[in-house]
Amino acid sequence: MQIKDRVAIVTGASSGIGLATARLLSKNGARVALVARSKSKLRALCQELSDSIVVPTDMTKPSEIRKMIRTVKEHFGRIDILVNNAGQGYDAPVEKIRLKNFRYIFNLDVVGPLIAMQKVIPVMQKQKAGMIVNVSSGTALMYLPNMSPYSSLKRALVGISLTAREELKGDGIVVSVVYPYITSTDFEANTINDVEEEADWGGEDDGAPFIPPDSAEYIAQKILDGIQNEEAEIFAHDWMKPNR
């Protein structure tokens, strides 16, 4: 898909990967709908990006997600790209997972993107074209101590994404999933943490070389490349690709 003059929704656009992706799409000529909870941050970004709009939305609330899709469609007349990036982490050992926290992250990381997909798919079907990019995580490819709540939900998003890709390919709609590596954002600071301080996270002495975190701009470029190339799975690094 070409980017110029396309209408793109980016959730979680107020910071991190979402912010970098919104900027990069706009730089390449897209008209961007900026979606997040922070109205003030979105307004500041909107001043920076030409032909963009601010749509404050809590991605854990179905009614707000539906309203957001309607607002974007009414404003631009179409929706070409949906980047489901909004999300939050939750760290806890299996026996300590708090169901209240798990349900909250489930609603944000899985249900929210699913509802957004369900509302844009009919729009894209009428257009006979569209691109949906769901941002998963490199943890979906691994089994790391204390990260099962987050990684399991990101695996669920992968399953939804790749299945939808098969279901929708006859409609001209491409669905892709992104696997970021550790990224220099506020993600970790915003992660819900139910891990005791002395807990063993594993992997510290396995002899593996240290790989520094990626910038948000690096992942945004990967997302842009994936949109243009219509890849099924977009990996931050080739070494992350599983042997299949």
Side-chain angles (χ1 to χ4, degrees):
M1 175 179 285
Q2 297 302 308
I3 306 301
K4 184 174 174 55
D5 296 326
R6 301 294 186 181
V7 174
I9 296 172
V10 180
T11 72
S14 62
S15 63
I17 293 172
L19 171 61
T21 301
R23 281 175 169 157
L24 189 58
L25 288 171
S26 178
K27 181 180 179 181
N28 282 268
R31 296 173 288 169
V32 185
L34 307 170
V35 177
R37 286 177 295 186
S38 177
K39 186 183 295 185
S40 60
K41 291 181 180 179
L42 293 182
R43 283 178 173 170
L45 180 59
C46 188
Q47 294 297 315
E48 177 187 326
L49 307 182
S50 62
D51 207 4
S52 63
I53 62 168
V54 169
V55 192
T57 305
D58 185 337
M59 290 296 291
T60 67
K61 297 182 178 179
S63 61
E64 291 194 20
I65 299 170
R66 296 185 186 106
K67 181 181 178 182
M68 177 269 290
I69 299 297
R70 288 197 305 270
T71 298
V72 177
K73 175 64 166 58
E74 290 170 2
H75 181 86
F76 290 112
R78 62 184 297 116
I79 300 172
D80 300 295
I81 301 167
L82 168 64
V83 180
N84 269 321
N85 166 74
Q88 189 173 357
Y90 177 32
D91 295 340
V94 171
E95 76 273 18
K96 299 291 186 179
I97 294 173
R98 300 174 190 266
L99 294 185
K100 179 180 179 181
N101 290 342
F102 188 71
R103 289 189 180 107
Y104 171 77
I105 297 299
F106 174 69
N107 286 331
L108 178 59
D109 290 4
V110 180
V111 178
L114 174 60
I115 294 171
M117 290 175 69
Q118 290 176 330
K119 301 310 292 184
V120 300
I121 286 169
V123 176
M124 292 177 175
Q125 285 172 327
K126 289 181 180 178
Q127 299 167 176
K128 302 186 185 307
M131 181 90 188
I132 298 171
V133 179
N134 292 328
V135 179
S136 178
S137 166
T139 64
L141 306 168
M142 299 176 259
Y143 300 94
L144 301 173
N146 304 310
M147 297 193 71
S148 68
Y150 178 66
S151 64
S152 64
L153 298 180
K154 287 301 188 178
R155 286 189 196 97
L157 187 61
V158 171
I160 291 170
S161 303
L162 297 181
T163 302
R165 182 182 178 91
E166 292 301 310
E167 294 173 346
L168 299 170
K169 60 185 179 182
D171 296 319
I173 301 171
V174 178
V175 184
S176 300
V177 62
V178 185
Y179 303 96
Y181 174 62
I182 300 170
T183 312
S184 296
T185 66
D186 292 331
F187 180 84
E188 194 60 37
N190 294 325
T191 293
I192 300 172
N193 193 338
D194 283 334
V195 181
E196 297 177 356
E197 289 185 10
E198 65 273 17
D200 180 10
W201 288 80
E204 293 181 3
D205 299 314
D206 60 6
F210 172 73
I211 301 174
D214 297 318
S215 67
E217 289 74 19
Y218 174 85
I219 301 300
Q221 184 63 56
K222 287 288 184 179
I223 291 173
L224 178 68
D225 294 343
I227 292 172
Q228 293 174 326
N229 299 328
E230 300 185 350
E231 299 171 87
E233 296 178 282
I234 304 164
F235 298 87
H237 302 279
D238 287 342
W239 58 260
M240 298 172 66
K241 296 179 180 179
N243 294 322
R244 293 173 177 160

